[in-house]
Amino acid sequence: QAAIPHWGNVTPFTYLEKSRFRSAPPPELLSPEYAKAVREMKLIGSDKSPLRTSLQSEIARYWYEATVQGWNRIARITAESRNLDLWETARLYALLNTALADGYIASFESKYFFNFWRPITAIREADTDGNFETTGEPDWNSYLIAPNIPDWPSAHATGGGAAAEVLAGFYGTDFIEFSMTSGPPYAGTTQWFSSLSEAALENANSRALAGNHYRESSIAGLEQGRRIGTWVFANYLRPVR
């Protein structure tokens, strides 16, 4: 049974029209683009993938925790490294979590509008999709557990894109160097990043490496999040001075 189907109907914090930030649509099932996406996921997203490297598997696990937790941790790390005062820190967290909240609302509005199946369902039932370039694998399984929510777009990627845009806007540059240690369920891995956008892109790609989303779904979510983050920072909680 599909989870939290009404999340996209929650009233957003920063915009009125529910479909304002709807993502780009998924490919048509009969298209070559769709067949290519399915083939890629078969190869790299499987729990038994011979092509996914140990580093790629680590990236999938590193970003697997909820986006909100990970990006709030990044905000804390970067805020502490710049010795922000209490007021600046409060504004940073308010902007960040407003963008994350509206990012998830927009993502779920898109998810249940497009109602597109995840790779784990699409690959197992590929013989029913009408595309002659795809073949079903009933026993295929994703590397990491895929939640029972429609695929398109990746909310994980949307949240990361929105968060990175807000943080870059706040600091006045994308080129913020930081290291972050992952939290549960795969806690304890530390990675270093040279920019916020680098972290957001890796966060998005991790969902394909986990077998949870098509890579195209992750990129669509990342772009959706960037639009929301840019909007939130440009229009809300502006300094008086």
Side-chain angles (χ1 to χ4, degrees), residues 165-198:
E165 286 297 316
V166 163
L167 293 175
F170 184 91
Y171 292 123
T173 179
D174 173 52
F175 295 101
I176 303 293
E177 297 182 0
F178 65 94
S179 63
M180 193 264 283
T181 302
S182 60
Y186 301 103
T189 300
T190 301
Q191 287 190 203
W192 181 88
F193 299 95
S194 60
S195 69
L196 297 160
S197 59
E198 178 192 6

Side-chain angles (χ1 to χ4, degrees), residues 29-50:
L29 291 187
L30 302 183
S31 68
E33 293 77 15
Y34 171 73
K36 178 182 176 182
V38 170
R39 287 196 300 270
E40 179 186 30
M41 291 311 302
K42 271 188 180 182
L43 293 172
I44 202 168
S46 166
D47 59 344
K48 299 179 177 66
S49 172

Side-chain angles (χ1 to χ4, degrees), residues 8-226:
N9 293 322
V10 173
T11 301
F13 285 88
T14 67
Y15 59 96
L16 296 176
E17 186 181 354
K18 296 289 180 65
S19 61
R20 174 170 186 160
F21 291 105
R22 184 175 293 164
S23 72
E28 296 291 334
L29 291 187
L30 302 183
S31 68
E33 293 77 15
Y34 171 73
K36 178 182 176 182
V38 170
R39 287 196 300 270
E40 179 186 30
M41 291 311 302
K42 271 188 180 182
L43 293 172
I44 202 168
S46 166
D47 59 344
K48 299 179 177 66
S49 172
L51 298 183
R52 190 180 56 251
T53 67
S54 58
L55 175 59
Q56 289 172 325
S57 295
E58 181 179 274
I59 289 171
R61 296 191 303 271
Y62 177 84
W63 289 105
Y64 192 68
E65 71 171 312
T67 303
V68 173
Q69 279 87 331
W71 282 94
N72 270 274
R73 191 180 308 117
I74 291 170
R76 186 183 72 239
I77 291 167
T78 56
E80 289 176 350
S81 70
R82 280 154 184 75
N83 298 313
L84 300 187
D85 63 26
L86 185 61
W87 169 247
E88 292 172 321
T89 304
R91 176 171 174 255
L92 174 63
Y93 278 121
L95 283 166
L96 172 67
N97 287 287
T98 298
L100 283 168
D102 279 359
Y104 267 89
I105 293 169
S107 176
F108 273 72
E109 190 280 331
S110 297
K111 281 178 178 291
Y112 281 95
F113 177 81
F114 295 120
N115 201 27
F116 202 64
W117 52 8
R118 281 181 182 265
I120 192 169
T121 308
I123 293 170
R124 289 178 177 182
E125 301 188 22
D127 291 339
T128 70
D129 63 17
N131 192 316
F132 295 114
E133 296 185 57
T134 63
T135 54
E137 289 188 19
D139 297 326
W140 189 92
N141 205 5
S142 57
Y143 173 50
L144 300 179
I145 295 172
N148 50 327
I149 303 167
D151 174 83
W152 198 281
S154 165
H156 210 79
T158 300
E165 286 297 316
V166 163
L167 293 175
F170 184 91
Y171 292 123
T173 179
D174 173 52
F175 295 101
I176 303 293
E177 297 182 0
F178 65 94
S179 63
M180 193 264 283
T181 302
S182 60
Y186 301 103
T189 300
T190 301
Q191 287 190 203
W192 181 88
F193 299 95
S194 60
S195 69
L196 297 160
S197 59
E198 178 192 6
L201 180 59
E202 185 178 281
N203 171 70
N205 283 329
S206 74
R207 305 309 274 176
L209 297 173
N212 290 174
H213 287 288
Y214 312 95
R215 190 180 306 277
E216 294 79 1
S217 173
S218 297
I219 297 305
L222 182 62
E223 178 55 32
Q224 181 186 50
R226 286 171 174 166

